[in-house]
Amino acid sequence: MAKVIPFKAIRPEGDKVHLVASRSVDGYNSAELREKLTGNPYSFLHVINPDFEDGIKTKPGSKERLNKVKNHFKKFVREKIFLRDESPCYYLYRQVKEGNEFIGIIACTSIDDYINGVIKIHEQTLTTREEKLKDYLEVCEFNAEPVLFCYPNDEAIDSISDEIAKTRPDYDFTTTDKVRHTVWVIDSRKTVKQIAERFATIPNIYIADGHHRSASATLLGKLRRSTRKSYTGEEAFNYYLGVFFPETHLKIYDYNRIVKDLNNLSVNELIYNLKTNFIITEVKAADYKPTQKHEMSMYVDNKWYSLKAKDTIYNAKDPIDSLDAAILTKYILSPILDIHDLKTDKRIGFIPGVRGSKELKKQVDEGKASIAFGLYPVTMEHLKWIADTNNIMPPKSTWVEPKMRSGLVIYSLEE
């Protein structure tokens, strides 16, 4: 059963939360990053980009850089930009974006659940990235970006969340991307006990986004266990930060592909090769996206096409073989466009579905790619099917919302 526990969070003072919380650093271009750092001394970006303040450049991922990150974080604590809760709490989080409402609980989960398979995965991790994130946690000793988990809807947890959401929140702010973020601190001992007991009845939870963060936290936990003669299992390194959403409070978007060239084929030759495995229809529209599973959109040479996979080319009873991203790779990217490794081939790019199919058209029209493929979003049922059967999705198969802000609720690994 799942172990989802309360913790003593480090979090921004209420009057500064809208200034502190930031997108992931990867979400800013260099000009935006400099503007944020110059104009907002409270931004969490100062913690994760500590070189900006003193102007002394350090190598990303180096011990020198990580120690600067840790020291800058402690400076924020000393200056009371952050506060620490005195008792273990859960934190109800609500995000409203483009009419979609997501409500989940921020908490910690056990590395043992990850090791023992209570936490289900669907994505393969890269060892080098695991080690890099492990080194970050080991030196900095805080976790500011929760892993995104989902669990089967539970009426009791839903009821508790609904009642708390009727009360006055501790944080309520809207960011410049028009996303509203609301947080309630759940410090009632009775309610904390009720939530913990309900999660303890749930057999499995699923990683929706954050496989590398889960793997790196587990690596650190194993390392610290190995260096001790004994441990209780309650030390901070035995847990890591997550935000837990019921299945119906997540939205899975498509993750689409663009390719730089047609592998020396003409458009007519490409279409001729596609006809073997797909039913192809030209679509007279300025914008187009697939309307059903096993249908893909294709934009090339100023035209949209619908590609419907023939039912003879995939096994509907196989969770990977029937996945549209796998069909695209197996029958188009690899044999026709000569792209065999999606992780390393520089001819292929990935566009999250939140940017819309217009972005695919734009990439091709501006000459950044020669062809674009749009996929139908993976369903939650298919994601769980893959995880439950211990299978792994191809890279970049899903884009899951919501995305939380960094620095909103932080888990300390210091003892």
Side-chain angles (χ1 to χ4, degrees):
M1 298 298 177
K3 191 171 186 179
V4 178
I5 66 168
F7 68 104
K8 299 177 184 178
I10 297 173
R11 54 189 180 85
E13 286 279 6
D15 64 340
K16 298 180 181 69
V17 63
H18 64 294
L19 299 171
V20 173
S22 71
R23 300 200 306 270
S24 171
V25 66
D26 297 334
Y28 300 93
N29 61 41
S30 57
E32 290 173 330
L33 187 59
R34 176 165 290 277
E35 180 184 358
K36 293 288 184 183
L37 291 169
T38 303
N40 179 7
Y42 298 109
S43 174
F44 192 69
L45 291 169
H46 284 282
V47 174
I48 50 184
N49 290 269
D51 290 355
F52 180 81
E53 188 169 292
D54 61 19
I56 301 173
K57 296 292 184 181
T58 54
K59 184 179 178 180
S62 66
K63 286 287 180 69
E64 186 182 8
R65 166 73 68 85
L66 297 178
N67 276 310
K68 287 179 74 172
V69 170
K70 182 176 184 177
N71 291 335
H72 215 98
F73 175 65
K74 288 188 170 183
K75 178 185 175 184
F76 268 42
V77 174
R78 287 196 306 271
E79 294 177 351
K80 300 189 184 304
I81 296 170
F82 285 121
L83 58 84
R84 183 195 289 268
D85 288 316
E86 295 181 356
S87 61
C89 305
Y90 289 109
Y91 304 86
L92 185 68
Y93 173 72
R94 180 177 68 196
Q95 183 181 121
V96 179
K97 178 181 179 180
E98 297 176 349
N100 296 307
E101 182 180 76
F102 311 98
I103 298 178
I105 293 174
I106 303 170
C108 283
T109 192
S110 168
I111 65 169
D112 287 310
D113 281 356
Y114 181 84
I115 294 167
N116 299 329
V118 172
I119 294 173
K120 298 282 190 176
I121 68 172
H122 67 265
E123 181 181 299
Q124 192 171 27
T125 54
L126 301 175
T127 302
T128 53
R129 191 173 175 199
E130 287 180 20
E131 289 286 350
K132 183 178 179 180
L133 290 173
K134 185 266 293 179
D135 292 343
Y136 167 86
L137 293 174
E138 185 177 13
V139 175
C140 299
E141 294 196 293
F142 69 84
N143 193 327
E145 291 191 21
V147 173
L148 181 58
F149 292 101
C150 67
Y151 62 90
N153 284 57
D154 183 275
E155 289 186 7
I157 297 176
D158 288 347
S159 178
I160 293 169
S161 297
D162 289 344
E163 288 303 310
I164 293 170
K166 294 175 183 177
T167 65
R168 183 176 180 177
D170 293 86
Y171 300 147
D172 193 358
F173 63 100
T174 300
T175 44
T176 54
D177 54 1
K178 299 182 181 180
V179 178
R180 183 178 178 183
H181 307 264
T182 312
V183 178
W184 292 261
V185 178
I186 307 172
D187 55 6
S188 161
R189 288 187 179 182
K190 179 182 177 182
T191 307
V192 166
K193 184 173 182 290
Q194 288 175 332
I195 293 172
E197 288 176 347
R198 286 309 305 171
F199 272 116
T201 67
I202 296 173
N204 296 105
I205 55 179
Y206 297 80
I207 299 176
D209 186 29
H211 286 78
H212 284 92
R213 279 167 279 163
S214 294
S216 62
T218 303
L219 272 181
L220 176 64
K222 287 181 174 180
L223 175 64
R224 292 195 170 177
R225 287 176 177 184
S226 70
T227 60
R228 300 181 179 222
K229 292 182 178 179
S230 63
Y231 63 91
T232 66
E234 297 305 314
E235 296 90 350
F237 61 75
N238 292 289
Y239 300 92
Y240 63 101
L241 185 64
V243 55
F244 300 79
F245 289 94
E247 292 174 7
T248 55
H249 280 255
L250 288 182
K251 185 173 178 61
I252 302 177
Y253 288 87
D254 40 303
Y255 219 138
N256 304 310
R257 281 84 165 111
I258 56 173
V259 181
K260 287 187 176 181
D261 59 71
L262 300 184
N263 193 30
N264 296 318
L265 295 172
S266 68
V267 173
N268 287 337
E269 288 172 330
L270 171 72
I271 292 175
Y272 177 81
N273 287 332
L274 290 173
K275 286 180 179 180
T276 302
N277 297 306
F278 297 88
I279 299 170
I280 305 174
T281 306
E282 184 180 339
V283 180
K284 301 290 186 180
D287 188 28
Y288 185 71
K289 61 191 307 181
T291 60
Q292 59 187 312
K293 189 176 181 179
H294 303 323
E295 180 196 7
M296 306 168 198
S297 63
M298 180 177 74
Y299 184 73
V300 63
D301 195 27
N302 298 309
K303 293 179 181 178
W304 282 105
Y305 297 87
S306 165
L307 310 181
K308 292 185 178 179
K310 295 179 181 179
D311 57 16
T312 55
I313 70 170
Y314 60 87
N315 180 359
K317 295 182 179 180
D318 186 300
I320 297 298
D321 199 58
S322 60
L323 191 68
D324 287 348
I327 293 171
L328 175 62
T329 298
K330 185 176 180 180
Y331 292 102
I332 300 177
L333 298 181
S334 183
I336 299 176
L337 297 178
D338 198 30
I339 294 173
H340 306 285
D341 190 337
L342 274 63
K343 294 179 182 178
T344 61
D345 198 314
K346 295 182 179 180
R347 293 170 55 226
I348 190 166
F350 303 90
I351 307 293
V354 287
R355 296 172 66 179
S357 52
K358 290 181 180 178
E359 181 64 24
L360 299 179
K361 182 177 185 297
K362 179 182 176 184
Q363 292 281 330
V364 175
D365 288 347
E366 292 181 354
K368 296 175 182 177
S370 293
I371 190 168
F373 298 95
L375 297 170
Y376 191 72
V378 176
T379 64
M380 179 59 68
E381 291 73 19
H382 203 139
L383 184 151
K384 289 174 63 180
W385 184 22
I386 289 170
D388 288 339
T389 53
N390 299 315
N391 279 291
I392 299 297
M393 284 187 179
K396 307 291 187 183
S397 292
T398 60
W399 177 278
V400 185
E401 295 273 338
K403 304 292 185 188
M404 273 192 64
R405 293 249 153 174
S406 298
L408 186 58
V409 177
I410 297 170
Y411 176 58
S412 175
L413 290 164
E414 286 192 308
E415 298 176 36

